């Protein structure tokens, strides 16, 4: 559903799955700065929202997904994952309970497959799953909130930042995006979803064996990296562009953006065996990496702090 905020003067539509919202409103870096200061909101109404109601909803979701949800207090946002039996990520949910229902937003085009799976798992429990097309997602740099979709136009008068600004700050914060930094083989450890979307001491759920094994033994097959790109190049590497080390393809670019302070940056997923200080080529652009996920990520493994510089 095309956002009415695209009718603002200067609004330029994004592309791909984000085509229904604005990439920017005419001043990318000013929008980034306003967003970083907490002075603007981002239209993410292309995200799909589902509603899960019923007395058993939290315990049921706790049993099905990776996050501890059975005691989630109303109003507290969190993330959870639907994994397959091999521990690979099938869906990523950002959700909140409003005291009556769980409201979860997911990537465009993924809601129906999630609803179909959840419907198959209801059995005799007191839960109902449906689309919530009446709701739309707006975000600041730090949090999400839901508004009635019919009231989106009411936000035409407030400071807005486009999705490109949001993506630049997301990349800076090392936050992966489902479908961009993930593929059909991704396990949570590879993209640093342990903690934020996976609770390591909760009860059983589908895919938990893989989560526990990698947590205890280390050695995820791949790892998420943050890239500082060569600022002298005019173009950014596209999603899926190859990452090269010593003439060999060792990974792919997930997302890239131009940051108002850091210049061109990106997230990529590379093989675990790539040296943590190796210079790389990302879509033909020279790139220096910062470690997000250590090569041997697991409970008993650490990495030299000088190689893992979190950007704030």
């Amino acid at each position: 559903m095309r956002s009415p905020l695209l009718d603002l003067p200067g609004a330029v539509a994004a592309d791909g799955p984000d085509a229904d919202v604005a990439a920017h409103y005419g001043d990318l870096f000013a929008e980034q700065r306003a967003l970083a200061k907490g002075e603007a909101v981002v239209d993410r109404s292309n995200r799909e929202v589902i509603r899960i109601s019923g007395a058993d909803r939290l315990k049921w979701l706790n049993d099905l997904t990776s996050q501890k949800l059975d005691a989630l207090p109303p109003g507290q946002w969190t993330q959870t994952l639907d994994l397959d039996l091999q521990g690979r990520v099938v869906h990523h949910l950002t959700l909140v309970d409003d005291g009556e229902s769980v409201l979860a937003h997911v990537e465009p085009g993924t809601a129906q497959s999630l609803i179909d799976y959840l419907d198959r798992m209801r059995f005799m429990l007191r839960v109902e799953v449906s689309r919530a097309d009446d709701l739309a997602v707006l975000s600041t740099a730090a949090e999400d909130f839901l508004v009635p979709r019919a009231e989106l136009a009411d936000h035409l008068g407030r400071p807005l930042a486009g999705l490109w600004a949001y993506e630049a700050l997301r990349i800076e914060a090392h936050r992966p995006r489902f479908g961009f930094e993930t593929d059909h083989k991704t396990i949570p450890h590879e993209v640093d979803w342990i903690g934020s979307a996976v609770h390591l001491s909760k009860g059983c759920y589908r895919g938990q064996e893989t989560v526990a094994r990698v947590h205890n033994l280390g050695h995820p097959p791949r790892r998420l990296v943050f890239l500082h790109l060569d600022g002298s190049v005019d173009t950014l590497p596209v999603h899926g562009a190859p990452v090269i080390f010593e003439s060999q393809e060792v990974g792919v670019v997930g997302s890239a953006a131009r940051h108002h302070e850091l210049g061109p940056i990106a997230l990529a997923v590379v093989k675990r065996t790539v040296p943590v200080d190796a210079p790389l080529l990302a879509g033909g652009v020279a790139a220096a990496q910062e470690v997000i996920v250590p090569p041997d990520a697991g409970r008993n493994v650490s990495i030299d702090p000088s190689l893992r510089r979190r950007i704030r």
Side-chain angles (χ1 to χ4, degrees), residues 24-52:
H24 62 85
Y25 298 94
D27 195 337
L28 172 61
F29 291 148
E31 293 167 30
Q32 278 190 40
R33 289 190 288 269
L35 187 61
K37 293 177 182 178
E39 298 171 352
V41 297
V42 181
D43 177 14
R44 300 175 72 209
S45 60
N46 60 316
R47 303 276 296 176
E48 296 182 317
V49 184
I50 68 170
R51 179 181 285 108
I52 304 164

Short mmCIF file of all heavy atoms in Angstrom, two decimals, residues 24-52:
data_model
loop_
_atom_site.label_atom_id
_atom_site.label_comp_id
_atom_site.label_asym_id
_atom_site.label_seq_id
_atom_site.Cartn_x
_atom_site.Cartn_y
_atom_site.Cartn_z
N HIS A 24 13.91 9.37 0.61
CA HIS A 24 14.30 10.64 1.23
C HIS A 24 13.30 11.71 0.80
O HIS A 24 12.47 11.50 -0.09
CB HIS A 24 15.73 11.04 0.86
CG HIS A 24 15.94 11.27 -0.60
ND1 HIS A 24 15.68 12.47 -1.22
CD2 HIS A 24 16.39 10.44 -1.59
CE1 HIS A 24 15.97 12.39 -2.51
NE2 HIS A 24 16.39 11.16 -2.76
N TYR A 25 13.40 12.87 1.45
CA TYR A 25 12.50 13.98 1.16
C TYR A 25 13.26 15.19 0.62
O TYR A 25 12.79 16.32 0.70
CB TYR A 25 11.72 14.37 2.41
CG TYR A 25 10.83 13.26 2.92
CD1 TYR A 25 11.29 12.39 3.92
CD2 TYR A 25 9.55 13.06 2.41
CE1 TYR A 25 10.49 11.35 4.38
CE2 TYR A 25 8.75 12.03 2.88
CZ TYR A 25 9.21 11.18 3.86
OH TYR A 25 8.42 10.15 4.31
N GLY A 26 14.47 14.94 0.10
CA GLY A 26 15.21 16.00 -0.57
C GLY A 26 16.51 16.41 0.07
O GLY A 26 17.31 17.10 -0.55
N ASP A 27 16.77 15.97 1.32
CA ASP A 27 18.00 16.36 2.00
C ASP A 27 18.45 15.21 2.89
O ASP A 27 18.19 15.20 4.10
CB ASP A 27 17.80 17.64 2.81
CG ASP A 27 19.12 18.27 3.23
OD1 ASP A 27 20.14 17.54 3.30
OD2 ASP A 27 19.14 19.49 3.52
N LEU A 28 19.13 14.24 2.31
CA LEU A 28 19.47 13.00 3.00
C LEU A 28 20.23 13.23 4.30
O LEU A 28 19.87 12.67 5.35
CB LEU A 28 20.28 12.10 2.07
CG LEU A 28 20.88 10.84 2.69
CD1 LEU A 28 19.79 9.92 3.22
CD2 LEU A 28 21.76 10.11 1.67
N PHE A 29 21.28 14.03 4.26
CA PHE A 29 22.12 14.16 5.45
C PHE A 29 21.44 14.97 6.54
O PHE A 29 21.60 14.69 7.73
CB PHE A 29 23.47 14.78 5.08
CG PHE A 29 24.34 13.85 4.26
CD1 PHE A 29 25.22 14.35 3.33
CD2 PHE A 29 24.26 12.47 4.44
CE1 PHE A 29 26.02 13.49 2.57
CE2 PHE A 29 25.05 11.61 3.69
CZ PHE A 29 25.92 12.12 2.75
N ALA A 30 20.66 15.97 6.18
CA ALA A 30 19.89 16.72 7.19
C ALA A 30 18.88 15.79 7.85
O ALA A 30 18.65 15.86 9.07
CB ALA A 30 19.19 17.91 6.55
N GLU A 31 18.28 14.91 7.06
CA GLU A 31 17.33 13.94 7.62
C GLU A 31 18.03 12.98 8.56
O GLU A 31 17.49 12.63 9.64
CB GLU A 31 16.64 13.18 6.48
CG GLU A 31 15.73 14.05 5.63
CD GLU A 31 15.30 13.39 4.33
OE1 GLU A 31 15.20 12.15 4.30
OE2 GLU A 31 15.06 14.11 3.35
N GLN A 32 19.22 12.53 8.20
CA GLN A 32 19.99 11.65 9.08
C GLN A 32 20.30 12.33 10.41
O GLN A 32 20.15 11.72 11.48
CB GLN A 32 21.30 11.23 8.42
CG GLN A 32 21.19 10.08 7.46
CD GLN A 32 22.56 9.58 7.07
OE1 GLN A 32 23.48 9.49 7.88
NE2 GLN A 32 22.72 9.24 5.80
N ARG A 33 20.75 13.56 10.34
CA ARG A 33 21.11 14.27 11.57
C ARG A 33 19.90 14.46 12.46
O ARG A 33 19.98 14.28 13.69
CB ARG A 33 21.77 15.61 11.22
CG ARG A 33 23.18 15.49 10.64
CD ARG A 33 23.86 16.83 10.55
NE ARG A 33 23.29 17.65 9.49
CZ ARG A 33 23.74 17.66 8.23
NH1 ARG A 33 24.76 16.88 7.88
NH2 ARG A 33 23.17 18.44 7.33
N ALA A 34 18.76 14.82 11.86
CA ALA A 34 17.54 14.99 12.65
C ALA A 34 17.10 13.67 13.27
O ALA A 34 16.68 13.62 14.43
CB ALA A 34 16.43 15.57 11.77
N LEU A 35 17.23 12.60 12.52
CA LEU A 35 16.86 11.29 13.04
C LEU A 35 17.78 10.87 14.18
O LEU A 35 17.33 10.36 15.21
CB LEU A 35 16.89 10.25 11.91
CG LEU A 35 16.37 8.86 12.24
CD1 LEU A 35 14.90 8.89 12.64
CD2 LEU A 35 16.57 7.93 11.03
N ALA A 36 19.08 11.09 14.01
CA ALA A 36 20.04 10.73 15.04
C ALA A 36 19.81 11.51 16.33
O ALA A 36 20.06 11.00 17.43
CB ALA A 36 21.46 10.95 14.53
N LYS A 37 19.31 12.74 16.21
CA LYS A 37 19.05 13.57 17.39
C LYS A 37 17.70 13.27 18.02
O LYS A 37 17.34 13.86 19.05
CB LYS A 37 19.11 15.05 17.01
CG LYS A 37 20.49 15.54 16.61
CD LYS A 37 20.42 17.00 16.17
CE LYS A 37 21.78 17.52 15.72
NZ LYS A 37 21.68 18.93 15.24
N GLY A 38 16.92 12.40 17.41
CA GLY A 38 15.59 12.10 17.93
C GLY A 38 14.55 13.12 17.55
O GLY A 38 13.48 13.21 18.18
N GLU A 39 14.81 13.89 16.49
CA GLU A 39 13.90 14.97 16.11
C GLU A 39 13.01 14.62 14.92
O GLU A 39 12.21 15.45 14.49
CB GLU A 39 14.73 16.22 15.76
CG GLU A 39 15.55 16.76 16.94
CD GLU A 39 16.51 17.85 16.53
OE1 GLU A 39 16.65 18.08 15.30
OE2 GLU A 39 17.12 18.46 17.42
N ALA A 40 13.15 13.40 14.38
CA ALA A 40 12.38 13.03 13.19
C ALA A 40 11.88 11.60 13.33
O ALA A 40 12.39 10.81 14.14
CB ALA A 40 13.24 13.17 11.93
N VAL A 41 10.88 11.27 12.53
CA VAL A 41 10.37 9.90 12.45
C VAL A 41 10.49 9.42 11.01
O VAL A 41 10.58 10.22 10.07
CB VAL A 41 8.92 9.79 12.94
CG1 VAL A 41 8.80 10.16 14.40
CG2 VAL A 41 7.98 10.62 12.08
N VAL A 42 10.48 8.09 10.86
CA VAL A 42 10.62 7.46 9.55
C VAL A 42 9.35 6.69 9.23
O VAL A 42 8.84 5.93 10.06
CB VAL A 42 11.82 6.50 9.53
CG1 VAL A 42 11.98 5.86 8.15
CG2 VAL A 42 13.10 7.23 9.91
N ASP A 43 8.85 6.89 8.03
CA ASP A 43 7.70 6.14 7.54
C ASP A 43 8.16 4.75 7.10
O ASP A 43 8.89 4.60 6.12
CB ASP A 43 7.09 6.90 6.36
CG ASP A 43 5.92 6.16 5.72
OD1 ASP A 43 5.40 5.21 6.32
OD2 ASP A 43 5.52 6.57 4.61
N ARG A 44 7.77 3.74 7.85
CA ARG A 44 8.07 2.34 7.48
C ARG A 44 6.76 1.57 7.30
O ARG A 44 6.66 0.39 7.64
CB ARG A 44 8.95 1.69 8.56
CG ARG A 44 10.28 2.39 8.75
CD ARG A 44 11.06 1.78 9.91
NE ARG A 44 11.57 0.47 9.61
CZ ARG A 44 11.77 -0.49 10.51
NH1 ARG A 44 11.45 -0.29 11.78
NH2 ARG A 44 12.26 -1.66 10.15
N SER A 45 5.78 2.25 6.72
CA SER A 45 4.46 1.65 6.59
C SER A 45 4.40 0.56 5.54
O SER A 45 3.35 -0.08 5.37
CB SER A 45 3.42 2.74 6.28
OG SER A 45 3.73 3.42 5.07
N ASN A 46 5.50 0.31 4.83
CA ASN A 46 5.55 -0.85 3.94
C ASN A 46 5.73 -2.15 4.72
O ASN A 46 5.51 -3.24 4.18
CB ASN A 46 6.68 -0.70 2.93
CG ASN A 46 8.05 -0.58 3.59
OD1 ASN A 46 8.21 0.15 4.57
ND2 ASN A 46 9.04 -1.29 3.07
N ARG A 47 6.12 -2.05 5.98
CA ARG A 47 6.21 -3.24 6.83
C ARG A 47 4.82 -3.83 7.03
O ARG A 47 3.82 -3.10 7.12
CB ARG A 47 6.80 -2.87 8.19
CG ARG A 47 8.15 -2.21 8.16
CD ARG A 47 9.28 -3.18 8.09
NE ARG A 47 9.37 -4.03 9.25
CZ ARG A 47 10.25 -5.02 9.37
NH1 ARG A 47 11.11 -5.27 8.41
NH2 ARG A 47 10.30 -5.76 10.47
N GLU A 48 4.73 -5.15 7.10
CA GLU A 48 3.45 -5.81 7.30
C GLU A 48 3.26 -6.11 8.78
O GLU A 48 4.22 -6.49 9.47
CB GLU A 48 3.38 -7.10 6.48
CG GLU A 48 3.43 -6.83 4.98
CD GLU A 48 3.32 -8.09 4.15
OE1 GLU A 48 3.97 -9.10 4.49
OE2 GLU A 48 2.60 -8.07 3.15
N VAL A 49 2.05 -5.95 9.27
CA VAL A 49 1.74 -6.12 10.69
C VAL A 49 0.76 -7.28 10.85
O VAL A 49 -0.21 -7.39 10.09
CB VAL A 49 1.14 -4.84 11.29
CG1 VAL A 49 0.91 -5.01 12.80
CG2 VAL A 49 2.05 -3.64 11.01
N ILE A 50 1.02 -8.13 11.83
CA ILE A 50 0.07 -9.20 12.16
C ILE A 50 -0.36 -9.03 13.61
O ILE A 50 0.36 -8.48 14.43
CB ILE A 50 0.66 -10.61 11.92
CG1 ILE A 50 1.78 -10.92 12.91
CG2 ILE A 50 1.15 -10.76 10.49
CD1 ILE A 50 2.21 -12.38 12.86
N ARG A 51 -1.57 -9.52 13.88
CA ARG A 51 -2.15 -9.43 15.22
C ARG A 51 -2.37 -10.85 15.75
O ARG A 51 -2.97 -11.68 15.07
CB ARG A 51 -3.46 -8.65 15.18
CG ARG A 51 -4.16 -8.52 16.52
CD ARG A 51 -5.46 -7.75 16.39
NE ARG A 51 -5.25 -6.31 16.22
CZ ARG A 51 -5.46 -5.64 15.09
NH1 ARG A 51 -5.88 -6.29 14.01
NH2 ARG A 51 -5.24 -4.34 15.02
N ILE A 52 -1.87 -11.13 16.96
CA ILE A 52 -2.05 -12.43 17.59
C ILE A 52 -2.77 -12.19 18.91
O ILE A 52 -2.23 -11.57 19.82
CB ILE A 52 -0.69 -13.12 17.84
CG1 ILE A 52 0.08 -13.25 16.52
CG2 ILE A 52 -0.89 -14.48 18.49
CD1 ILE A 52 1.55 -13.55 16.70
#
